[in-house]
Amino acid sequence: MTQPERPRTAREFLNVWYPLAETNNTRGLEQWEAHFPELADTAPDMTLDILRELATSSANGAKEAAAIYARYAFRARPAETTNLLVSLFQDGDDDIQENVLSSADVITSDPQLNPTQAAELRTAVGADRA
């Protein structure tokens, strides 16, 4: 199966993502989600729009996906991404919290992040309390 064409808008990304998630199409989701790291680098505002919608969606796996995708958006939009991760962590769902903590680990292991920034992120998302 070939890689689907790169989405041009947040709505286009979500219009493909939601049906794949609803049908538990893991392979299709993995292929579609492969666009996310590039989108985070080339279209950070679009990436934030996607994250914000997923973070507030009741769709199956949406909040977990937002928590995972946030790791890609942090470099371009650290404040917004931190706020999103904090909000997701406060959701209280164990799976979502686990994904938030995993993203925080990935983000704080980036050598371009200084130790103060890393500590602030871990404290903000609750990684130091988990």
Side-chain angles (χ1 to χ4, degrees):
M1 183 180 268
T2 61
Q3 179 82 0
E5 185 178 322
R6 179 182 183 264
R8 294 176 301 272
T9 65
R11 182 56 33 213
E12 186 177 306
F13 181 92
L14 294 163
N15 284 343
V16 172
W17 189 92
Y18 280 119
L20 291 171
E22 184 176 308
T23 60
N24 293 316
N25 184 337
T26 304
R27 185 171 182 195
L29 274 171
E30 287 172 354
Q31 288 184 321
W32 193 239
E33 291 168 342
H35 291 294
F36 211 82
E38 177 190 353
L39 290 174
D41 288 337
T42 61
D45 292 333
M46 180 175 120
T47 301
L48 281 177
D49 290 343
I50 293 167
L51 290 174
R52 287 179 181 131
E53 177 156 333
L54 291 174
T56 59
S57 175
S58 61
N60 183 35
K63 290 180 181 179
E64 291 91 337
I68 293 167
Y69 299 162
R71 66 186 64 174
Y72 301 110
F74 186 83
R75 187 172 294 163
R77 299 291 189 269
E80 295 91 338
T81 303
T82 298
N83 290 339
L84 183 109
L85 287 169
V86 168
S87 175
L88 287 167
F89 192 81
Q90 292 171 349
D91 183 86
D93 179 275
D94 290 342
D95 291 334
I96 296 168
Q97 287 180 338
E98 185 177 315
N99 285 314
V100 167
L101 295 175
S102 177
S103 284
D105 286 343
V106 169
I107 292 166
T108 57
S109 67
D110 182 340
Q112 293 183 353
L113 199 65
N114 71 48
T116 301
Q117 291 171 310
E120 288 172 353
L121 174 65
R122 292 189 60 76
T123 299
V125 300
D128 294 334
R129 294 184 301 270

